[in-house]
Amino acid sequence: MLGLVKFFSIILIFTCGFGSALASERQFNLGAIASPAEVAGWDIDVRPDGLGAPIGSGNAFDGEEIYAERCGFCHGDFGEGIDRWPELVGGEDSLNSHDPIKTTSSYWPYASTMYDYIYRAMPFGEAQSLTIDETYSIVAYLLYMGDIIDDEFEVSNDTIGTIQMPNKSGFLLPDPRPDVVEKSTILCMINCESDTNVIGRARDLDVTPENES
Amino acid sequence: MSKKSKNSFAINRRQLLASSLALGTAGVAKSVQASEVGPSNSPPNLPEWTTYLGDGVDVAPYGLPSEFESHVIRRNVPWLTATAESSVNFTPIQNLEGFVTPNGLCFERHHGGVAIIDPNEYRLMINGLVDREMIFTLDDLKRFPQTNKFYFLECAANGGMEWRGAQLNGCQFTFGMIHNVQYTGVKLSDIVKETGLRPSAKWLLAEGGDSAGLARSIPIEKALDDCMIVWAMNGEALRPEQGYPARLVVPGWEGNMWIKWIRRIEFGDMPYLTREETSKYTDLMTDGSARMFTWVMEAKSVVTFPSPENPLNKKGLHQLRGLAWSGRGKIRRVDVSLDGGRNWNTTNIHGPILNKSLTRFTMPFYWSGDEMLVQARAVDETGYVQPTIKELQNVRGVNSIYHNNSIATWLVNKNGSVENVRLG
């Protein structure tokens, strides 16, 4: 790795000094060329088509144990969420209700996002501490609990981009805003139509934190 | 207060007593009058603070606000989140003037707490569909051509608790997920000149170095239009809670995309669909479908005085104050109604009126002591008019959490107290 860095910095000096094809494209000659090893260490994202998924695999059977040890005390053994920690599984058919429950199984459109997010950010406060296979296994366990795969399915760099999530077609594109059409181009200034009855007061709900002042 | 000033106060009282005794009957009458006018430091008395030497320079090498302004602070709503490390607090916009937010009052939203980064160890990596994958130090970034720009940053969830009704009784809690500072940094389009960009690059992924590794996709057109990597706000280094030593600026678009502690930008040919743009920051409609990639913050305004935190205590002349902004450009006009939207007056807009920046408006009014229903309605340079909550609900329902830019109503009661209400 050290050798690689050195190698690239030599190229850099060379190209800057002699104005080769590479140098002519750079406008400011600032920064350093990143080595493949440097990029590999930080390039952790995984895309819906599986691009970026590191080589490895895991199934729900393996995942159950790791999940119970590293995730369950916040998210619940079945992903139901303990206290105020987020719920991870469940809530199917709730999205059009008064109390929608958005979880990996009810809402998330791509399984790749589960790998990407769990590896980069979980366990909360211990980011990027899971191994690649542990992460695939936990993803498999959550997908299994959400009835999306069976317990033998191997989630891997080859399969992560192929898993069909139930709410995949639940998202609308592109952004339709501005979506509220004004009634007229000339804004009403006097004697406008408006509901002026007070039908709700924040004070009555009494959920506002008290101000010390 | 220091010991010294307490002593001085005692002397001051004694002096006062002595002087009124010496003045005799007339003096007593006078001092009674004075005490009606105000406390002992008011005319004609000698103010306490005139009687001693104040603090010298360097007592506060980094200056802080007056002790009498201790109520002007960020506040959070503890029941909103499970933990302070993934939580939000709110800018006290009801206490601010002009359009610049002081750095220490800019609201915070973290998903994994505040990363503490040594600027000497800071690195920005650019990889993916570029000619050269590169790494920049902070010093490298500062050697690029510089740009200084004011922009507002608003969380897409600002006002998110108000979709179903008036819930939080405060200007701070209903509109305070916003701040407006001057950024110093480099245009992303200049950094890209150094790495080169492959023609197939259509999107980028911006990624934070914090423990949440916050990551968002941004289309290339926006990235090359006005996005910046910045290291300073309001003339000084970014505050740690705002991404020190470097963050992304995405003018006019939702705050979640303005990646703090930015460590990496990857260019690709399709969006990355991270957790923050699927599970979160998508807007659920009534039928259970959800809008995705709703980036722009539409025009909005708020009356900061009078407001729930700033009641009216006297009849007569007052100066109504407020803020307006639009993610689509400049504010063209702000109207205010004092009767719940029946009649409107156009307010004074205070320049400079900047693109995608907070804009201050004021309007003189006389308070007769009657109830008032105060509303503000912003119009931006595209002609877009800030909607009522009913207009938004008719199209989007009440489940979308994000992008509530509707007109709020402050009820001024006969006793001058002000509350957040919903009209219907």
Side-chain angles (χ1 to χ4, degrees):
Chain A
M1 150 110 195
L2 241 178
L4 261 179
V5 175
K6 251 191 205 143
F7 173 72
F8 276 103
S9 47
I10 289 166
I11 289 195
L12 199 65
I13 293 161
F14 182 80
T15 54
C16 296
F18 297 88
S20 73
L22 246 178
S24 69
E25 288 174 42
R26 292 177 64 171
Q27 294 206 1
F28 308 105
N29 283 319
L30 298 170
I33 301 295
S35 72
E38 285 173 324
V39 173
W42 278 19
D43 183 3
I44 57 170
D45 62 88
V46 179
R47 235 166 50 168
D49 60 354
L51 189 85
I55 294 169
S57 67
N59 58 39
F61 187 76
D62 302 329
E64 180 171 13
E65 202 176 316
I66 307 158
Y67 177 91
E69 196 184 309
R70 309 221 36 201
C71 323
F73 59 97
C74 286
H75 293 294
D77 282 347
F78 306 100
E80 75 279 16
I82 291 178
D83 298 333
R84 311 266 307 287
W85 306 106
E87 223 168 319
L88 300 184
V89 180
E92 284 73 23
D93 303 324
S94 73
L95 296 181
N96 59 0
S97 74
H98 193 68
D99 290 305
I101 301 166
K102 297 187 241 175
T103 70
T104 58
S105 59
S106 72
Y107 196 60
W108 291 36
Y110 301 102
S112 62
T113 311
M114 296 170 69
Y115 185 98
D116 178 277
Y117 181 72
I118 290 168
Y119 182 76
R120 75 169 58 246
M122 290 292 139
F124 192 60
E126 293 173 80
Q128 299 185 40
S129 67
L130 295 169
T131 66
I132 291 166
D133 287 350
E134 281 174 343
T135 312
Y136 280 119
S137 306
I138 292 172
V139 170
Y141 179 61
L142 289 172
L143 289 169
Y144 168 70
M145 281 199 297
D147 283 333
I148 297 162
I149 59 170
D150 62 40
D151 60 355
E152 272 155 34
F153 189 92
E154 287 288 322
V155 179
S156 71
N157 51 303
D158 285 330
T159 61
I160 189 89
T162 66
I163 297 162
Q164 291 299 308
M165 299 294 276
N167 194 42
K168 180 168 187 248
S169 59
F171 292 86
L172 306 169
L173 285 168
D175 182 357
R177 299 173 306 154
D179 53 351
V180 178
V181 185
E182 259 308 301
K183 289 130 287 189
S184 73
T185 44
I186 298 157
L187 270 179
C188 179
M189 296 301 283
I190 48 170
N191 295 324
C192 314
E193 241 180 79
S194 180
D195 301 318
T196 55
N197 296 319
V198 173
I199 57 165
R201 315 180 115 168
R203 202 180 254 182
D204 294 343
L205 282 181
D206 200 23
V207 293
T208 310
E210 290 292 324
N211 284 357
E212 314 79 65
S213 63
Chain B
M1 229 180 260
S2 71
K3 208 174 163 193
K4 190 164 95 192
S5 65
K6 266 191 199 127
N7 287 342
S8 319
F9 184 65
I11 293 163
N12 185 23
R13 294 292 299 178
R14 250 184 280 128
Q15 283 172 336
L16 254 179
L17 213 66
S19 63
S20 52
L21 277 176
L23 281 168
T25 350
V28 171
K30 245 186 195 164
S31 75
V32 166
Q33 206 181 12
S35 72
E36 277 169 7
V37 171
S40 58
N41 286 318
S42 296
N45 302 326
L46 179 67
E48 175 221 338
W49 46 82
T50 316
T51 64
Y52 59 84
L53 284 174
D55 284 341
V57 298
D58 281 351
V59 167
Y62 192 106
L64 292 171
S66 157
E67 63 187 274
F68 302 104
E69 298 298 313
S70 61
H71 57 289
V72 183
I73 52 170
R74 299 182 285 218
R75 292 183 176 85
N76 80 350
V77 179
W79 57 260
L80 272 180
T81 52
T83 161
E85 289 80 24
S86 176
S87 192
V88 63
N89 61 18
F90 300 80
T91 306
I93 51 171
Q94 73 279 2
N95 300 119
L96 303 181
E97 309 284 359
F99 67 78
V100 182
T101 314
N103 287 341
L105 295 176
C106 290
F107 84 96
E108 307 168 79
R109 180 25 169 157
H110 319 307
H111 290 261
V114 178
I116 304 299
I117 300 176
D118 178 341
N120 295 313
E121 291 186 281
Y122 173 80
R123 297 291 183 274
L124 174 67
M125 175 182 287
I126 312 274
N127 71 313
L129 297 177
V130 289
D131 295 330
R132 291 166 294 277
E133 297 191 317
M134 295 187 71
I135 293 175
F136 299 94
T137 64
L138 197 60
D139 276 350
D140 292 334
L141 294 178
K142 290 181 179 178
R143 292 169 65 192
F144 278 93
Q146 265 192 25
T147 307
N148 288 284
K149 290 272 190 193
F150 277 99
Y151 289 119
F152 78 83
L153 181 163
E154 184 184 17
C155 177
N158 201 15
M161 285 80 78
E162 307 293 303
W163 273 102
R164 293 180 185 198
Q167 186 166 204
L168 290 167
N169 199 29
C171 190
Q172 184 166 12
F173 295 124
T174 52
F175 285 86
M177 281 194 237
I178 188 156
H179 57 65
N180 197 65
V181 304
Q182 189 188 40
Y183 292 103
T184 304
V186 45
K187 293 187 74 171
L188 203 48
S189 56
D190 273 340
I191 298 180
V192 163
K193 284 178 189 158
E194 204 61 359
T195 61
L197 206 54
R198 303 257 171 93
S200 52
K202 293 285 176 277
W203 290 81
L204 67 76
L205 178 77
E207 179 181 88
D210 57 326
S211 84
L214 205 76
R216 285 292 303 254
S217 307
I218 298 173
I220 197 81
E221 297 78 18
K222 177 67 176 177
L224 300 184
D225 176 23
D226 58 2
C227 289
M228 296 165 71
I229 302 285
V230 303
W231 53 83
M233 58 197 288
N234 290 335
E236 62 177 358
L238 293 178
R239 290 292 168 88
E241 69 270 29
Q242 303 300 337
Y244 182 90
R247 86 174 308 168
L248 183 66
V249 164
V250 191
W253 287 17
E254 60 191 18
N256 183 259
M257 306 174 84
W258 298 45
I259 303 297
K260 298 188 281 192
W261 313 288
I262 187 163
R263 73 162 198 175
R264 192 170 68 92
I265 294 174
E266 176 175 316
F267 288 91
D269 57 2
M270 60 173 76
Y272 294 78
L273 282 311
T274 67
R275 179 251 190 175
E276 300 295 329
E277 55 207 19
T278 54
S279 172
K280 307 290 169 188
Y281 301 95
T282 47
D283 318 336
L284 197 57
M285 299 291 117
T286 317
D287 66 358
S289 66
R291 293 180 184 176
M292 184 179 253
F293 297 153
T294 48
W295 299 305
V296 75
M297 301 307 297
E298 298 192 288
K300 193 166 174 179
S301 62
V302 55
V303 174
T304 55
F305 173 84
S307 63
E309 296 94 331
N310 291 322
L312 292 177
N313 49 19
K314 284 192 179 64
K315 293 178 189 175
L317 178 67
H318 291 278
Q319 302 295 328
L320 180 142
R321 299 191 280 281
L323 291 164
W325 61 94
S326 168
R328 292 201 182 91
K330 292 178 182 172
I331 286 295
R332 177 187 289 168
R333 186 173 124 196
V334 183
D335 301 326
V336 161
S337 170
L338 302 177
D339 59 3
R342 286 202 193 278
N343 296 286
W344 296 86
N345 286 293
T346 299
T347 64
N348 306 313
I349 292 188
H350 298 244
I353 302 166
L354 301 175
N355 182 32
K356 299 165 190 161
S357 164
L358 290 194
T359 303
R360 174 63 67 178
F361 62 88
T362 62
M363 186 187 83
F365 71 99
Y366 284 86
W367 186 44
S368 65
D370 289 338
E371 276 188 3
M372 295 195 297
L373 292 166
V374 181
Q375 298 183 335
R377 170 178 80 186
V379 183
D380 73 15
E381 64 178 338
T382 70
Y384 176 86
V385 181
Q386 184 182 358
T388 63
I389 183 73
K390 208 177 240 178
E391 287 170 323
L392 280 192
Q393 287 170 340
N394 286 344
V395 183
R396 306 185 201 162
V398 295
N399 283 344
S400 49
I401 301 174
Y402 307 105
H403 294 292
N404 175 6
N405 67 322
S406 64
I407 294 168
T409 307
W410 304 147
L411 164 64
V412 178
N413 292 300
K414 287 200 162 102
N415 66 5
S417 68
V418 182
E419 40 179 319
N420 176 18
V421 298
R422 181 59 49 88
L423 302 182

